[in-house]
Amino acid sequence: YTVIKQPSFKGVVFFDIDDTLTTMPEEHRSDIIKHCVDKGYKIGIITASKRTPEHICYGNIPNVDISDWTCNELCQELNKDNFLFFNSLLYTNGKYNPKFPFFERDRYMYGKQKGYQMLESIKNTSVKPWETFLFDDNIDVLAGASMVNPEGNFIHVDNNNVGKQLDTELICKIIV
C-alpha cells in the first residue's frame, strides 16, 4: 500500500494588500493572522502590484518604512515557508517570475492572475482548491480569480463599511 503524506496545514488564506491589508483596522492585524494559523492555515499574499517580499518584510521583520501596515505575525508566517505563498506581478510562490499565462486584458485580468497564483501555490501540496481563500477589496478581481479557481473561496472586504471590514469578527466567521 501507499502512504500519502497529508499536509501539515488545512489550506491557505491569501490576502490582497492595497485597500485590503493597508486599510484594515490596525488593532485586528495580528489577531487575524494568529486566528488563521491557529485554525491550521498558511498565510499568503496575492497583490496586483510589483512588490517584492522585501517591500513587506526583511525575513521575519516587518519593513515598516515602506509598508507601515505590516505586522510581526505576518512576516513570521511568510518567512517560515521562505515566502512560498507570496505572490505579486513579479513573484509567484515567492520566486521571481513575472510571466503569466495569457489572460485577456479586461477588468478581470488581475483577478485571473490571482486565481492562477492561488492554484500554483498549492500545486505541490495535497491542499485542494476549495481549501484556498482570497480576501480582496475588488469585486472584479474576485470574479476573475473565481474564473480560474472556481472551487476557491472569495471574500469581498470593504474597510470603509463596518459590516464588511477585514477584522477578527469576519475572519472568525469564515476561517473555522
Side-chain angles (χ1 to χ4, degrees), residues 7-73:
S8 58
F9 55 98
K10 286 185 185 175
V12 184
V13 179
F14 293 99
F15 296 98
D16 169 53
I17 293 178
D18 294 304
D19 291 325
T20 302
L21 290 178
T22 60
T23 59
M24 70 177 287
E26 185 176 348
E27 65 271 16
H28 294 273
R29 289 181 187 148
S30 297
D31 291 340
I32 284 173
I33 303 301
K34 287 179 193 173
H35 177 79
C36 295
V37 172
D38 289 347
K39 293 296 180 182
Y41 289 85
K42 293 290 186 178
I43 302 299
I45 294 290
I46 296 186
T47 178
S49 72
K50 293 184 176 182
R51 285 185 178 89
T52 67
E54 294 78 22
H55 279 105
I56 300 168
C57 310
Y58 299 117
N60 64 356
I61 312 258
N63 183 352
V64 292
D65 292 336
I66 296 175
S67 302
D68 62 356
W69 52 266
T70 193
C71 65
N72 287 326
E73 291 76 9

Short mmCIF file of all heavy atoms in Angstrom, two decimals, residues 7-73:
data_model
loop_
_atom_site.label_atom_id
_atom_site.label_comp_id
_atom_site.label_asym_id
_atom_site.label_seq_id
_atom_site.Cartn_x
_atom_site.Cartn_y
_atom_site.Cartn_z
N PRO A 7 -0.77 17.23 4.20
CA PRO A 7 -0.09 18.49 4.53
C PRO A 7 -0.23 18.76 6.02
O PRO A 7 -1.15 18.30 6.67
CB PRO A 7 -0.85 19.53 3.71
CG PRO A 7 -2.22 18.97 3.55
CD PRO A 7 -2.01 17.47 3.46
N SER A 8 0.70 19.51 6.54
CA SER A 8 0.63 19.87 7.95
C SER A 8 -0.24 21.11 8.13
O SER A 8 -0.22 21.74 9.16
CB SER A 8 2.04 20.11 8.48
OG SER A 8 2.65 21.14 7.73
N PHE A 9 -1.00 21.46 7.09
CA PHE A 9 -1.90 22.61 7.17
C PHE A 9 -3.16 22.32 6.37
O PHE A 9 -3.17 21.48 5.47
CB PHE A 9 -1.21 23.88 6.68
CG PHE A 9 -0.61 23.79 5.29
CD1 PHE A 9 -1.30 24.27 4.20
CD2 PHE A 9 0.65 23.23 5.09
CE1 PHE A 9 -0.75 24.19 2.92
CE2 PHE A 9 1.21 23.16 3.82
CZ PHE A 9 0.50 23.63 2.74
N LYS A 10 -4.25 22.99 6.72
CA LYS A 10 -5.56 22.77 6.11
C LYS A 10 -5.71 23.42 4.75
O LYS A 10 -6.48 22.94 3.92
CB LYS A 10 -6.66 23.35 7.00
CG LYS A 10 -6.98 22.60 8.23
CD LYS A 10 -8.17 23.30 8.89
CE LYS A 10 -8.51 22.71 10.21
NZ LYS A 10 -9.59 23.46 10.88
N GLY A 11 -5.06 24.54 4.57
CA GLY A 11 -5.22 25.31 3.35
C GLY A 11 -4.43 26.59 3.44
O GLY A 11 -3.56 26.73 4.29
N VAL A 12 -4.74 27.52 2.54
CA VAL A 12 -4.01 28.79 2.50
C VAL A 12 -5.01 29.95 2.45
O VAL A 12 -5.95 29.92 1.65
CB VAL A 12 -3.07 28.88 1.28
CG1 VAL A 12 -2.24 30.16 1.32
CG2 VAL A 12 -2.16 27.66 1.19
N VAL A 13 -4.79 30.93 3.31
CA VAL A 13 -5.59 32.15 3.32
C VAL A 13 -4.72 33.25 2.71
O VAL A 13 -3.68 33.60 3.26
CB VAL A 13 -6.02 32.53 4.76
CG1 VAL A 13 -6.82 33.83 4.73
CG2 VAL A 13 -6.82 31.40 5.40
N PHE A 14 -5.16 33.73 1.54
CA PHE A 14 -4.44 34.77 0.82
C PHE A 14 -5.09 36.12 1.07
O PHE A 14 -6.31 36.23 1.09
CB PHE A 14 -4.45 34.51 -0.69
CG PHE A 14 -3.68 33.31 -1.11
CD1 PHE A 14 -4.34 32.11 -1.35
CD2 PHE A 14 -2.31 33.36 -1.28
CE1 PHE A 14 -3.63 30.99 -1.75
CE2 PHE A 14 -1.59 32.24 -1.67
CZ PHE A 14 -2.26 31.05 -1.91
N PHE A 15 -4.24 37.13 1.22
CA PHE A 15 -4.73 38.49 1.40
C PHE A 15 -4.17 39.38 0.30
O PHE A 15 -2.98 39.33 -0.02
CB PHE A 15 -4.28 39.06 2.75
CG PHE A 15 -4.86 38.33 3.93
CD1 PHE A 15 -4.11 37.36 4.57
CD2 PHE A 15 -6.14 38.61 4.38
CE1 PHE A 15 -4.64 36.67 5.66
CE2 PHE A 15 -6.67 37.94 5.48
CZ PHE A 15 -5.93 36.96 6.12
N ASP A 16 -5.04 40.20 -0.26
CA ASP A 16 -4.63 41.29 -1.13
C ASP A 16 -3.97 42.35 -0.23
O ASP A 16 -4.20 42.35 0.99
CB ASP A 16 -5.86 41.86 -1.83
CG ASP A 16 -5.60 43.17 -2.54
OD1 ASP A 16 -4.65 43.23 -3.35
OD2 ASP A 16 -6.33 44.14 -2.28
N ILE A 17 -3.20 43.23 -0.80
CA ILE A 17 -2.56 44.27 0.00
C ILE A 17 -3.33 45.59 -0.06
O ILE A 17 -3.91 46.03 0.92
CB ILE A 17 -1.08 44.48 -0.42
CG1 ILE A 17 -0.26 43.23 -0.09
CG2 ILE A 17 -0.50 45.70 0.28
CD1 ILE A 17 1.19 43.30 -0.51
N ASP A 18 -3.35 46.23 -1.23
CA ASP A 18 -3.90 47.59 -1.34
C ASP A 18 -5.41 47.61 -1.11
O ASP A 18 -6.16 46.89 -1.76
CB ASP A 18 -3.55 48.18 -2.72
CG ASP A 18 -2.05 48.37 -2.85
OD1 ASP A 18 -1.48 49.07 -2.00
OD2 ASP A 18 -1.46 47.80 -3.79
N ASP A 19 -5.81 48.43 -0.17
CA ASP A 19 -7.20 48.60 0.25
C ASP A 19 -7.80 47.33 0.87
O ASP A 19 -9.01 47.25 1.04
CB ASP A 19 -8.08 49.11 -0.89
CG ASP A 19 -7.73 50.56 -1.25
OD1 ASP A 19 -7.38 51.32 -0.34
OD2 ASP A 19 -7.79 50.90 -2.44
N THR A 20 -6.95 46.39 1.20
CA THR A 20 -7.39 45.22 1.97
C THR A 20 -6.58 45.21 3.26
O THR A 20 -7.10 45.53 4.31
CB THR A 20 -7.22 43.91 1.15
OG1 THR A 20 -7.98 44.02 -0.06
CG2 THR A 20 -7.69 42.71 1.95
N LEU A 21 -5.30 44.86 3.18
CA LEU A 21 -4.46 44.92 4.39
C LEU A 21 -4.08 46.35 4.75
O LEU A 21 -3.97 46.68 5.93
CB LEU A 21 -3.19 44.09 4.20
CG LEU A 21 -3.35 42.58 4.14
CD1 LEU A 21 -2.01 41.90 3.91
CD2 LEU A 21 -3.99 42.05 5.42
N THR A 22 -3.88 47.19 3.75
CA THR A 22 -3.38 48.55 4.04
C THR A 22 -4.39 49.40 4.80
O THR A 22 -4.00 50.31 5.53
CB THR A 22 -3.00 49.30 2.76
OG1 THR A 22 -4.14 49.39 1.91
CG2 THR A 22 -1.85 48.63 2.04
N THR A 23 -5.67 49.13 4.65
CA THR A 23 -6.69 49.98 5.28
C THR A 23 -7.51 49.26 6.35
O THR A 23 -8.46 49.83 6.87
CB THR A 23 -7.66 50.52 4.21
OG1 THR A 23 -8.29 49.42 3.55
CG2 THR A 23 -6.94 51.41 3.21
N MET A 24 -7.14 48.02 6.67
CA MET A 24 -7.90 47.30 7.70
C MET A 24 -7.66 47.93 9.06
O MET A 24 -6.65 48.61 9.26
CB MET A 24 -7.51 45.83 7.72
CG MET A 24 -6.11 45.56 8.24
SD MET A 24 -5.69 43.83 8.34
CE MET A 24 -6.66 43.36 9.73
N PRO A 25 -8.57 47.71 10.00
CA PRO A 25 -8.35 48.26 11.35
C PRO A 25 -7.06 47.71 11.96
O PRO A 25 -6.87 46.49 12.04
CB PRO A 25 -9.58 47.78 12.13
CG PRO A 25 -10.61 47.44 11.10
CD PRO A 25 -9.84 47.00 9.89
N GLU A 26 -6.17 48.61 12.33
CA GLU A 26 -4.84 48.22 12.82
C GLU A 26 -4.91 47.26 14.00
O GLU A 26 -4.11 46.34 14.10
CB GLU A 26 -4.07 49.48 13.20
CG GLU A 26 -2.64 49.20 13.61
CD GLU A 26 -1.87 50.48 13.90
OE1 GLU A 26 -2.34 51.58 13.56
OE2 GLU A 26 -0.77 50.36 14.47
N GLU A 27 -5.87 47.45 14.87
CA GLU A 27 -5.95 46.62 16.07
C GLU A 27 -6.29 45.16 15.77
O GLU A 27 -6.16 44.30 16.65
CB GLU A 27 -6.96 47.21 17.08
CG GLU A 27 -8.39 47.21 16.60
CD GLU A 27 -8.80 48.47 15.82
OE1 GLU A 27 -7.91 49.22 15.37
OE2 GLU A 27 -10.01 48.67 15.65
N HIS A 28 -6.66 44.84 14.54
CA HIS A 28 -7.02 43.47 14.18
C HIS A 28 -5.92 42.73 13.42
O HIS A 28 -6.02 41.52 13.20
CB HIS A 28 -8.30 43.46 13.32
CG HIS A 28 -9.50 43.92 14.06
ND1 HIS A 28 -10.28 43.06 14.80
CD2 HIS A 28 -10.06 45.15 14.19
CE1 HIS A 28 -11.27 43.74 15.35
NE2 HIS A 28 -11.15 45.01 15.00
N ARG A 29 -4.88 43.42 12.99
CA ARG A 29 -3.85 42.82 12.12
C ARG A 29 -3.27 41.54 12.69
O ARG A 29 -3.29 40.49 12.04
CB ARG A 29 -2.74 43.82 11.85
CG ARG A 29 -3.15 44.93 10.95
CD ARG A 29 -2.01 45.89 10.69
NE ARG A 29 -2.54 47.03 9.95
CZ ARG A 29 -2.09 48.25 10.05
NH1 ARG A 29 -1.07 48.52 10.84
NH2 ARG A 29 -2.63 49.22 9.35
N SER A 30 -2.72 41.60 13.86
CA SER A 30 -2.08 40.42 14.45
C SER A 30 -3.08 39.31 14.73
O SER A 30 -2.80 38.14 14.47
CB SER A 30 -1.38 40.81 15.75
OG SER A 30 -0.36 41.73 15.50
N ASP A 31 -4.26 39.67 15.24
CA ASP A 31 -5.26 38.67 15.60
C ASP A 31 -5.77 37.89 14.39
O ASP A 31 -6.04 36.70 14.48
CB ASP A 31 -6.44 39.33 16.32
CG ASP A 31 -6.05 39.83 17.71
OD1 ASP A 31 -5.03 39.35 18.26
OD2 ASP A 31 -6.76 40.70 18.24
N ILE A 32 -5.88 38.56 13.25
CA ILE A 32 -6.34 37.89 12.03
C ILE A 32 -5.33 36.81 11.62
O ILE A 32 -5.71 35.68 11.32
CB ILE A 32 -6.56 38.92 10.91
CG1 ILE A 32 -7.85 39.67 11.17
CG2 ILE A 32 -6.58 38.26 9.54
CD1 ILE A 32 -8.09 40.81 10.23
N ILE A 33 -4.08 37.17 11.61
CA ILE A 33 -3.04 36.20 11.23
C ILE A 33 -3.01 35.06 12.24
O ILE A 33 -3.01 33.88 11.85
CB ILE A 33 -1.65 36.89 11.15
CG1 ILE A 33 -1.66 38.06 10.16
CG2 ILE A 33 -0.56 35.86 10.81
CD1 ILE A 33 -2.04 37.73 8.74
N LYS A 34 -3.00 35.39 13.51
CA LYS A 34 -2.97 34.35 14.56
C LYS A 34 -4.15 33.41 14.45
O LYS A 34 -3.99 32.19 14.60
CB LYS A 34 -2.97 35.00 15.95
CG LYS A 34 -1.66 35.64 16.34
CD LYS A 34 -1.81 36.27 17.73
CE LYS A 34 -0.68 37.19 18.04
NZ LYS A 34 -0.88 37.94 19.29
N HIS A 35 -5.34 33.94 14.18
CA HIS A 35 -6.53 33.09 14.08
C HIS A 35 -6.39 32.08 12.94
O HIS A 35 -6.65 30.89 13.12
CB HIS A 35 -7.80 33.93 13.87
CG HIS A 35 -9.02 33.09 13.70
ND1 HIS A 35 -9.67 32.50 14.76
CD2 HIS A 35 -9.67 32.69 12.57
CE1 HIS A 35 -10.69 31.79 14.30
NE2 HIS A 35 -10.70 31.89 12.98
N CYS A 36 -5.97 32.55 11.77
CA CYS A 36 -5.80 31.66 10.61
C CYS A 36 -4.78 30.56 10.93
O CYS A 36 -5.03 29.39 10.64
CB CYS A 36 -5.37 32.45 9.39
SG CYS A 36 -6.61 33.63 8.79
N VAL A 37 -3.67 30.93 11.51
CA VAL A 37 -2.62 29.97 11.84
C VAL A 37 -3.13 28.98 12.90
O VAL A 37 -2.93 27.77 12.78
CB VAL A 37 -1.34 30.70 12.31
CG1 VAL A 37 -0.31 29.72 12.85
CG2 VAL A 37 -0.75 31.50 11.15
N ASP A 38 -3.81 29.50 13.92
CA ASP A 38 -4.35 28.62 14.97
C ASP A 38 -5.35 27.62 14.42
O ASP A 38 -5.48 26.51 14.93
CB ASP A 38 -5.02 29.44 16.08
CG ASP A 38 -4.02 30.21 16.93
OD1 ASP A 38 -2.80 29.94 16.84
OD2 ASP A 38 -4.46 31.11 17.69
N LYS A 39 -6.05 27.98 13.35
CA LYS A 39 -7.02 27.07 12.72
C LYS A 39 -6.35 26.14 11.71
O LYS A 39 -7.02 25.34 11.06
CB LYS A 39 -8.15 27.87 12.05
CG LYS A 39 -9.02 28.60 13.05
CD LYS A 39 -9.74 27.63 13.96
CE LYS A 39 -10.61 28.32 14.96
NZ LYS A 39 -11.28 27.40 15.87
N GLY A 40 -5.03 26.25 11.55
CA GLY A 40 -4.30 25.31 10.70
C GLY A 40 -4.02 25.77 9.28
O GLY A 40 -3.70 24.95 8.42
N TYR A 41 -4.13 27.06 9.01
CA TYR A 41 -3.92 27.58 7.67
C TYR A 41 -2.59 28.29 7.53
O TYR A 41 -2.10 28.91 8.47
CB TYR A 41 -5.05 28.56 7.30
CG TYR A 41 -6.36 27.87 7.07
CD1 TYR A 41 -7.20 27.58 8.13
CD2 TYR A 41 -6.74 27.47 5.80
CE1 TYR A 41 -8.40 26.91 7.93
CE2 TYR A 41 -7.94 26.80 5.58
CZ TYR A 41 -8.75 26.53 6.66
OH TYR A 41 -9.94 25.87 6.46
N LYS A 42 -2.04 28.24 6.33
CA LYS A 42 -0.87 29.05 5.96
C LYS A 42 -1.39 30.42 5.53
O LYS A 42 -2.53 30.58 5.11
CB LYS A 42 -0.10 28.41 4.80
CG LYS A 42 0.57 27.11 5.16
CD LYS A 42 1.71 27.34 6.09
CE LYS A 42 2.49 26.07 6.36
NZ LYS A 42 3.61 26.30 7.23
N ILE A 43 -0.51 31.40 5.60
CA ILE A 43 -0.85 32.77 5.23
C ILE A 43 -0.15 33.09 3.91
O ILE A 43 1.03 32.81 3.74
CB ILE A 43 -0.38 33.77 6.31
CG1 ILE A 43 -1.00 33.44 7.66
CG2 ILE A 43 -0.68 35.21 5.88
CD1 ILE A 43 -2.51 33.50 7.69
N GLY A 44 -0.90 33.70 2.99
CA GLY A 44 -0.34 34.09 1.71
C GLY A 44 -0.69 35.52 1.36
O GLY A 44 -1.62 36.11 1.91
N ILE A 45 0.07 36.06 0.44
CA ILE A 45 -0.17 37.39 -0.13
C ILE A 45 -0.35 37.22 -1.62
O ILE A 45 0.41 36.49 -2.27
CB ILE A 45 1.04 38.32 0.12
CG1 ILE A 45 1.23 38.62 1.60
CG2 ILE A 45 0.93 39.62 -0.69
CD1 ILE A 45 0.19 39.50 2.23
N ILE A 46 -1.36 37.89 -2.16
CA ILE A 46 -1.50 38.00 -3.62
C ILE A 46 -1.88 39.44 -3.92
O ILE A 46 -2.95 39.90 -3.54
CB ILE A 46 -2.56 37.05 -4.20
CG1 ILE A 46 -2.17 35.59 -3.98
CG2 ILE A 46 -2.73 37.32 -5.69
CD1 ILE A 46 -3.10 34.57 -4.63
N THR A 47 -0.97 40.15 -4.57
CA THR A 47 -1.18 41.55 -4.89
C THR A 47 -0.96 41.79 -6.38
O THR A 47 -0.07 41.19 -6.98
CB THR A 47 -0.25 42.45 -4.04
OG1 THR A 47 -0.45 43.81 -4.43
CG2 THR A 47 1.22 42.09 -4.22
N ALA A 48 -1.77 42.67 -6.94
CA ALA A 48 -1.58 43.06 -8.34
C ALA A 48 -0.69 44.29 -8.39
O ALA A 48 -0.99 45.28 -9.05
CB ALA A 48 -2.93 43.32 -9.00
N SER A 49 0.41 44.23 -7.66
CA SER A 49 1.41 45.29 -7.68
C SER A 49 2.77 44.63 -7.94
O SER A 49 2.87 43.41 -7.94
CB SER A 49 1.44 46.03 -6.33
OG SER A 49 2.01 45.21 -5.32
N LYS A 50 3.77 45.45 -8.11
CA LYS A 50 5.12 44.91 -8.37
C LYS A 50 5.94 44.80 -7.10
O LYS A 50 7.16 44.85 -7.13
CB LYS A 50 5.83 45.78 -9.41
CG LYS A 50 5.19 45.70 -10.77
CD LYS A 50 5.96 46.48 -11.81
CE LYS A 50 5.34 46.29 -13.17
NZ LYS A 50 6.09 46.99 -14.21
N ARG A 51 5.28 44.58 -5.98
CA ARG A 51 6.01 44.45 -4.72
C ARG A 51 6.86 43.18 -4.70
O ARG A 51 6.53 42.19 -5.32
CB ARG A 51 5.04 44.41 -3.55
CG ARG A 51 4.44 45.76 -3.20
CD ARG A 51 3.59 45.63 -1.95
NE ARG A 51 3.01 46.88 -1.53
CZ ARG A 51 1.83 47.34 -1.95
NH1 ARG A 51 1.12 46.66 -2.82
NH2 ARG A 51 1.36 48.48 -1.48
N THR A 52 7.93 43.28 -3.93
CA THR A 52 8.79 42.12 -3.67
C THR A 52 8.58 41.73 -2.21
O THR A 52 8.03 42.52 -1.43
CB THR A 52 10.27 42.50 -3.89
OG1 THR A 52 10.65 43.43 -2.88
CG2 THR A 52 10.51 43.07 -5.28
N PRO A 53 9.02 40.55 -1.80
CA PRO A 53 8.91 40.20 -0.38
C PRO A 53 9.56 41.24 0.53
O PRO A 53 9.04 41.55 1.60
CB PRO A 53 9.63 38.85 -0.29
CG PRO A 53 9.45 38.25 -1.64
CD PRO A 53 9.53 39.42 -2.59
N GLU A 54 10.67 41.85 0.07
CA GLU A 54 11.37 42.83 0.88
C GLU A 54 10.58 44.12 1.09
O GLU A 54 10.86 44.88 2.00
CB GLU A 54 12.75 43.15 0.27
CG GLU A 54 13.71 41.99 0.28
CD GLU A 54 13.45 40.95 -0.82
OE1 GLU A 54 12.80 41.28 -1.85
OE2 GLU A 54 13.89 39.81 -0.65
N HIS A 55 9.61 44.37 0.22
CA HIS A 55 8.75 45.53 0.43
C HIS A 55 7.92 45.37 1.70
O HIS A 55 7.50 46.35 2.30
CB HIS A 55 7.79 45.74 -0.75
CG HIS A 55 8.39 46.42 -1.91
ND1 HIS A 55 8.74 45.76 -3.06
CD2 HIS A 55 8.71 47.72 -2.11
CE1 HIS A 55 9.24 46.62 -3.92
NE2 HIS A 55 9.25 47.81 -3.37
N ILE A 56 7.68 44.13 2.09
CA ILE A 56 6.82 43.84 3.24
C ILE A 56 7.64 43.44 4.45
O ILE A 56 7.36 43.89 5.56
CB ILE A 56 5.83 42.73 2.87
CG1 ILE A 56 4.97 43.19 1.70
CG2 ILE A 56 4.97 42.35 4.07
CD1 ILE A 56 4.17 42.10 1.09
N CYS A 57 8.62 42.59 4.23
CA CYS A 57 9.38 42.02 5.35
C CYS A 57 10.85 41.86 4.97
O CYS A 57 11.17 41.51 3.85
CB CYS A 57 8.86 40.63 5.71
SG CYS A 57 7.09 40.49 5.93
N TYR A 58 11.71 42.08 5.96
CA TYR A 58 13.11 41.67 5.86
C TYR A 58 13.17 40.34 6.61
O TYR A 58 13.29 40.34 7.83
CB TYR A 58 14.05 42.66 6.53
CG TYR A 58 14.05 44.05 5.93
CD1 TYR A 58 13.64 45.15 6.68
CD2 TYR A 58 14.48 44.26 4.63
CE1 TYR A 58 13.67 46.43 6.14
CE2 TYR A 58 14.49 45.53 4.09
CZ TYR A 58 14.08 46.60 4.85
OH TYR A 58 14.10 47.87 4.30
N GLY A 59 13.05 39.25 5.89
CA GLY A 59 12.96 37.95 6.58
C GLY A 59 11.71 37.95 7.43
O GLY A 59 10.61 38.12 6.92
N ASN A 60 11.86 37.80 8.75
CA ASN A 60 10.67 37.79 9.60
C ASN A 60 10.45 39.13 10.32
O ASN A 60 9.66 39.21 11.24
CB ASN A 60 10.73 36.64 10.61
CG ASN A 60 11.88 36.77 11.58
OD1 ASN A 60 12.69 37.68 11.48
ND2 ASN A 60 11.96 35.86 12.52
N ILE A 61 11.11 40.19 9.86
CA ILE A 61 10.99 41.52 10.46
C ILE A 61 10.17 42.42 9.52
O ILE A 61 10.50 42.54 8.33
CB ILE A 61 12.39 42.17 10.65
CG1 ILE A 61 13.32 41.19 11.31
CG2 ILE A 61 12.26 43.53 11.33
CD1 ILE A 61 13.58 41.34 12.74
N PRO A 62 9.12 43.06 10.02
CA PRO A 62 8.32 43.95 9.17
C PRO A 62 9.13 45.12 8.62
O PRO A 62 9.92 45.72 9.35
CB PRO A 62 7.23 44.46 10.12
CG PRO A 62 7.19 43.49 11.25
CD PRO A 62 8.60 42.95 11.39
N ASN A 63 8.93 45.43 7.35
CA ASN A 63 9.55 46.60 6.73
C ASN A 63 8.57 47.77 6.86
O ASN A 63 7.91 48.14 5.90
CB ASN A 63 9.88 46.32 5.26
CG ASN A 63 10.60 47.49 4.62
OD1 ASN A 63 10.73 48.55 5.20
ND2 ASN A 63 11.05 47.29 3.39
N VAL A 64 8.49 48.33 8.05
CA VAL A 64 7.52 49.38 8.32
C VAL A 64 7.88 50.71 7.64
O VAL A 64 7.04 51.59 7.52
CB VAL A 64 7.28 49.58 9.83
CG1 VAL A 64 6.58 48.37 10.42
CG2 VAL A 64 8.57 49.89 10.55
N ASP A 65 9.12 50.84 7.16
CA ASP A 65 9.50 52.06 6.44
C ASP A 65 8.72 52.17 5.13
O ASP A 65 8.32 53.26 4.73
CB ASP A 65 11.00 52.08 6.14
CG ASP A 65 11.84 52.23 7.39
OD1 ASP A 65 11.31 52.77 8.40
OD2 ASP A 65 13.00 51.81 7.38
N ILE A 66 8.51 51.03 4.46
CA ILE A 66 7.78 51.02 3.19
C ILE A 66 6.33 50.57 3.39
O ILE A 66 5.44 51.09 2.74
CB ILE A 66 8.48 50.08 2.18
CG1 ILE A 66 9.87 50.60 1.84
CG2 ILE A 66 7.64 49.93 0.91
CD1 ILE A 66 10.68 49.68 0.95
N SER A 67 6.12 49.61 4.28
CA SER A 67 4.80 49.02 4.49
C SER A 67 4.39 49.16 5.95
O SER A 67 4.50 48.22 6.73
CB SER A 67 4.84 47.54 4.08
OG SER A 67 5.24 47.41 2.74
N ASP A 68 3.86 50.33 6.28
CA ASP A 68 3.52 50.57 7.68
C ASP A 68 2.32 49.76 8.17
O ASP A 68 2.02 49.73 9.35
CB ASP A 68 3.29 52.07 7.93
CG ASP A 68 2.14 52.64 7.15
OD1 ASP A 68 1.53 51.93 6.32
OD2 ASP A 68 1.84 53.85 7.34
N TRP A 69 1.67 49.05 7.28
CA TRP A 69 0.51 48.23 7.62
C TRP A 69 0.90 46.81 8.02
O TRP A 69 0.07 46.05 8.50
CB TRP A 69 -0.45 48.17 6.43
CG TRP A 69 0.28 47.77 5.17
CD1 TRP A 69 0.82 48.63 4.25
CD2 TRP A 69 0.61 46.46 4.75
NE1 TRP A 69 1.47 47.90 3.27
CE2 TRP A 69 1.35 46.57 3.55
CE3 TRP A 69 0.36 45.19 5.26
CZ2 TRP A 69 1.83 45.46 2.86
CZ3 TRP A 69 0.83 44.09 4.56
CH2 TRP A 69 1.57 44.24 3.37
N THR A 70 2.12 46.40 7.78
CA THR A 70 2.53 45.02 8.04
C THR A 70 2.71 44.80 9.55
O THR A 70 2.70 45.74 10.33
CB THR A 70 3.78 44.64 7.25
OG1 THR A 70 3.95 43.23 7.29
CG2 THR A 70 5.02 45.31 7.76
N CYS A 71 2.84 43.54 9.95
CA CYS A 71 2.99 43.23 11.37
C CYS A 71 3.93 42.04 11.56
O CYS A 71 4.20 41.30 10.61
CB CYS A 71 1.63 42.96 12.02
SG CYS A 71 0.78 41.48 11.43
N ASN A 72 4.41 41.89 12.77
CA ASN A 72 5.34 40.79 13.09
C ASN A 72 4.77 39.43 12.70
O ASN A 72 5.47 38.61 12.11
CB ASN A 72 5.67 40.78 14.59
CG ASN A 72 6.59 41.90 14.98
OD1 ASN A 72 7.45 42.29 14.22
ND2 ASN A 72 6.38 42.42 16.17
N GLU A 73 3.52 39.18 13.03
CA GLU A 73 2.91 37.86 12.77
C GLU A 73 2.88 37.54 11.29
O GLU A 73 3.16 36.40 10.88
CB GLU A 73 1.50 37.79 13.37
CG GLU A 73 1.48 37.79 14.88
CD GLU A 73 1.73 39.15 15.53
OE1 GLU A 73 1.76 40.18 14.81
OE2 GLU A 73 1.93 39.19 16.76
#
